[in-house]
Structures are given as C-alpha cells and as structure tokens.
C-alpha cells in the first residue's frame, strides 16, 4: 500500500487530508511538529510527503531541504504562505509542488497521484527508457542507466532534473515554454507553479555548463521559453 506522511500542525486540516487520502486507498501517518515529522520522514520509507511550512520546532523549508538531501521522494508543500518568493524558495529546496491554503482536498489527492505516477516512471519502475546514449559536445546522457557525464566526469542528478535534461536533449533545437515543460515533466497544468521550471533549469545549467551565466546547451529564448542547442 502506498504510504503518505502528512506533516501539518493544524489538526483539523491534517485530519481532513488524511481522510481524503485514506478514502483513496492510501496508508497515512500524521505528525504535528517539525521535529517529529523530520524524524519520521528520514527514518521510514514513504512514497510521498505532504508538508506544511509554518511548523513548531523546525520549519517546513528546513525539513524539505534535509529530506531532499537524503531521499528521492515526492514532496508536496501545502501552506498559507502565498508569496512568490516562498514558492521559489520551496522549489529551490527540492519541493515538487506547492499548493496554497485554502485548498481542495480532491485536488491534493489528484496531484499526489500524478506525482507518484511520474516518480515511478522517472525512477524506471514502469516502462524502461530506451537503451541509448545522447552525446553532445562533452555531454553524455545514458538513458538506460540514468547517468550523466560532463566532460567525462559523472554528475549526479535528481530524478526530476534527469527527466527534464533528457527531454530537452531528446528534442534539440526546439523551443519549449515553461508551461510546456511543466506539463510534460510534472504531468499536470501549472496552476501558477511554473516557477519550479526556472529553478530546475538553473540547476541543470550549474551542473552541465562550463559557464552557467553564458549557457551553451540550454539557452533562454526570451519571451518564448528554453531550447537545447546542438
């Protein structure tokens, strides 16, 4: 059974989320403090984590950072913080989605299912990727082993980063908007959360470009989106 951890200090909201997930066949654990939530997240094997930002003890930003450093698991932020800077910070720390309160419980369940499906595909638990290697000017992307080499040195990527890089490199010289990339890689409409695309593009550039401020692989096409140039 798919296991979900909900870290939320507001008991009523946490119980509402739990009820909807359990009705959809998930196994759910609840905790109401940052410290307890972080301990559970790092100790146990969860398939997905629902995380509030304003928590007693340790805030959600720090929890997100520590989880992402240790594990590859979908993290969905649900918070009353609505500023764009908070969303960008959360995405930069590794969050996969950001939903503001008040929210629709059914939407959260739908998004959770989409992220779970996407992670299974990205981690190779469904159909295996084609067994070939993309090689472009010192960059090698091995689809079968999901490994990336930059100038003969292996560089580690998260599943989401690899999925984005593989997609762009597999469709060279085509321009994709942020909305296109969000829908294709994250698997759902952006709903204002396309800031994560910008964050992930920056991470890719930091890892594959000799000079991230003057990218040679992933170019910005102003007013249109991004293009992987060969």
């Amino acid at each position: 059974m798919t296991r979900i951890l909900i870290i939320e200090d507001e008991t009523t909201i946490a119980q509402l989320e739990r009820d909807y997930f359990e009705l959809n066949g998930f196994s759910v654990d609840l905790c109401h403090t940052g410290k307890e939530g972080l301990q559970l997240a790092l100790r146990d094997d969860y398939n997905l984590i629902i995380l509030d930002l304003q928590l007693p003890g340790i805030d959600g930003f720090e929890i997100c950072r520590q989880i992402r450093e240790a594990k590859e698991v979908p993290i969905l932020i649900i918070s009353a913080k609505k500023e764009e800077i908070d969303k960008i910070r959360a995405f930069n720390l590794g969050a996969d989605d950001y939903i503001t309160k008040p929210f629709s419980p059914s939407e959260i369940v739908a998004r959770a299912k989409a992220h779970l499906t996407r992670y299974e595909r990205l981690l190779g638990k469904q159909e295996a990727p084609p067994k070939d290697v993309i090689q472009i000017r010192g960059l090698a992307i091995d689809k079968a082993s999901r490994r990336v080499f930059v100038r003969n040195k292996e560089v580690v990527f998260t599943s989401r980063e690899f999925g984005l890089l593989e997609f762009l490199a597999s469709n060279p010289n085509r321009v994709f908007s942020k909305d296109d990339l969000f829908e294709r890689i994250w698997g759902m409409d952006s709903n204002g959360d396309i800031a994560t695309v910008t964050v992930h593009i920056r991470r890719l550039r930091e890892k594959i470009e000799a000079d991230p401020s003057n990218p040679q692989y992933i170019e910005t096409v102003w007013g249109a989106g991004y293009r992987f140039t060969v």
Side-chain angles (χ1 to χ4, degrees), residues 11-27:
T11 303
T12 302
I13 292 178
Q15 290 176 346
L16 176 64
E17 294 170 351
R18 179 192 60 193
D19 291 345
Y20 268 79
F21 277 109
E22 289 182 343
L23 284 171
N24 283 270
F26 295 92
S27 172

Side-chain angles (χ1 to χ4, degrees), residues 169-189:
S170 297
N171 297 276
N173 300 322
R174 290 181 57 188
V175 178
F176 294 95
S177 69
K178 294 178 183 179
D179 293 284
D180 289 336
L181 293 174
F182 192 93
E183 184 174 356
R184 290 172 182 270
I185 304 303
W186 279 259
M188 62 192 74
D189 293 334

Side-chain angles (χ1 to χ4, degrees), residues 3 5 7 29 31 33-46 49 51 55 58 62-63 66-67 70-71:
R3 298 184 66 201
L5 174 63
I7 309 174
D29 289 341
C31 58
T33 68
K35 181 178 180 181
E36 179 189 8
L38 180 59
Q39 289 175 342
L40 284 174
L42 296 179
R43 185 190 69 195
D44 295 344
D45 291 325
Y46 290 99
I49 294 173
L51 177 63
L55 295 164
I58 305 175
E62 179 61 19
I63 293 172
Q66 292 196 38
I67 292 174
K71 295 189 174 185

